[in-house]
Amino acid sequence: TFDLIVKQVNKAFCDLFALAPTQLIGNGLIDINPELREMHILNVIQTVLDTGESFYQPTSLFANENLHFWFETFISRLPNHEIMVVINDETAEVEARNAITAERDRAQQIFDIAGVIMLILDRDGNISAINRYGASILGTPQEELIGENWFKRFILPVEQETVQKVFQEMLAGKQEENRRVESEIITTAGEIKTIAWTNTLVRDANGYVIGTLSSGEDVTEQRKMIHELQLINSVIENSLNAFDIINHEGKFIFVNQAYVEMWGYDSAE
C-alpha cells in the first residue's frame, strides 16, 4: 500500500478540478476525489512504481455532478520514487473536433438527401463524392462510383473531348461558375439522360482549386415532352387539314396555315 499525498500542483490542475491549492496539497488524492478509485488509478500508479515505465491514457471523459471535461494523462516515476501526474485538458480540442464532425455530418446529410444529383470531381475528373440520388440516376451504388472517371464512364464518347475541355477551362477560371447548362449522360444501363447542371469550383484551405461541385437536375422527361409538343405543333402547322383552337370565350387562339388558306383570313385576324 502507499499514500497518494499531493505535494505540489499548478494553477491549471486546480482550475481543471475547481479546487484551491489548499484543498489539494497535503491531502490524499483518493480522499480528494474518491471517483479516481473507480478509474483504477491505484493499480496504474502501483505498476508505474514497480516497473518505472511511464503510463499514458488517451483522451477520456471525466464527468460528475459538477465537472465535465476531456483529458489525457501521463504518469511517470521520478528518481526519488515519487509519482508525477500530468493531465492535459483536451476539452476545447475535443469540442472543436465534435463541432466540425457535426457540421460535416449535417452537410453530408443534406448532400445525401438532396433531390438532385450532387457530384464532386477532382482535378482529373474522377468522382470524389456523389449522393444517393445521383447514384440512383446513374444506376450504380455510391461506393462503386468513387474513383471512377466521370467523363470516360458517363459522358457519350462523341462528347467526351468537348466536355473535358470545358471542365479544364472551368478549373482554370475561364468558365463562369453557377451557370445552368444542359448536357447528356449515359447511365450504367446505357440509358441517355439530359441533365441540367450548375457547377462551382471547390478550393482547399489555401484557395487552390481542387475540383468541382455540381448539382444536376434530371430534365430528361421535360425535354422529351417539349420535343413531342414541338413535333405535334410542326405536324399541325404543316398539315393540309385545317386546325383551330378556340378558348372558353369563343375566341381563336390558334389556327394553322391550312385554316387560313381555307377561309381566306390572315392568321393575325
Side-chain angles (χ1 to χ4, degrees):
T1 61
F2 52 89
D3 296 323
L4 294 176
I5 303 300
V6 179
K7 298 185 67 175
Q8 186 177 353
V9 293
N10 65 358
K11 184 178 183 300
F13 190 96
C14 295
D15 291 344
L16 188 61
F17 287 93
L19 294 170
T22 54
Q23 294 176 282
L24 293 168
I25 297 175
N27 295 311
L29 191 60
I30 299 299
D31 295 330
I32 295 169
N33 195 331
E35 294 177 2
L36 293 175
R37 189 183 301 277
E38 299 177 7
M39 298 170 65
H40 308 292
I41 192 69
L42 295 179
N43 294 335
V44 171
I45 292 177
Q46 184 68 64
T47 300
V48 173
L49 282 172
D50 292 342
T51 65
E53 296 182 1
S54 298
F55 169 81
Y56 168 69
Q57 177 177 289
T59 302
S60 305
L61 175 64
F62 180 90
N64 60 21
E65 293 180 356
N66 303 311
L67 298 173
H68 182 283
F69 59 83
W70 293 89
F71 68 102
E72 62 177 0
T73 308
F74 299 86
I75 301 177
S76 303
R77 189 182 74 183
L78 300 178
N80 61 1
H81 281 250
E82 290 182 340
I83 291 293
M84 179 177 68
V85 178
V86 177
I87 296 179
N88 289 334
D89 184 0
E90 295 287 299
T91 305
E93 289 79 1
V94 170
E95 290 179 348
R97 287 197 299 269
N98 289 345
I100 292 172
T101 300
E103 186 64 28
R104 183 193 63 199
D105 290 345
R106 282 194 292 270
Q108 184 64 47
Q109 184 180 29
I110 294 172
F111 188 83
D112 276 336
I113 67 176
V116 295
I117 301 170
M118 298 296 291
L119 173 70
I120 298 178
L121 301 180
D122 64 18
R123 292 186 64 90
D124 295 321
N126 298 321
I127 300 173
S128 297
I130 187 167
N131 65 345
R132 295 191 189 98
Y133 179 80
S136 69
I137 290 292
L138 298 176
T140 303
Q142 282 176 284
E143 60 274 11
E144 294 182 18
L145 292 170
I146 305 304
E148 288 286 326
N149 187 274
W150 172 257
F151 305 106
K152 294 179 181 178
R153 179 82 183 266
F154 297 108
I155 301 300
L156 296 170
V158 295
E159 296 182 359
Q160 286 179 11
E161 185 177 346
T162 300
V163 176
Q164 282 184 295
K165 182 181 179 182
V166 172
F167 176 73
Q168 292 301 325
E169 289 177 349
M170 186 169 186
L171 292 178
K174 298 179 181 179
Q175 288 284 337
E176 181 183 352
E177 292 186 60
N178 299 314
R179 181 169 60 90
R180 186 180 172 93
V181 295
E182 292 186 9
S183 64
E184 292 184 333
I185 65 170
I186 182 168
T187 69
T188 300
E191 183 180 2
I192 306 297
K193 288 185 174 291
T194 303
I195 308 298
W197 296 103
T198 301
N199 306 300
T200 188
L201 295 174
V202 178
R203 294 176 170 84
D204 63 14
N206 297 316
Y208 178 72
V209 176
I210 58 174
T212 60
L213 168 63
S214 303
S215 63
E217 179 186 358
D218 183 1
V219 295
T220 306
E221 292 304 316
Q222 298 174 34
R223 294 298 168 263
K224 188 181 295 183
M225 289 176 61
I226 290 173
H227 176 73
E228 290 175 352
L229 286 173
Q230 290 173 338
L231 182 60
I232 292 171
N233 288 338
S234 177
V235 170
I236 292 175
E237 182 62 39
N238 295 294
S239 174
L240 297 177
N241 296 317
F243 284 94
D244 65 30
I245 300 176
I246 301 174
N247 66 14
H248 66 283
E249 295 177 345
K251 296 180 179 179
F252 290 101
I253 59 175
F254 173 80
V255 293
N256 69 347
Q257 187 60 33
Y259 189 97
V260 171
E261 293 174 357
M262 176 182 292
W263 295 102
Y265 290 102
D266 185 271
S267 60
E269 298 177 311

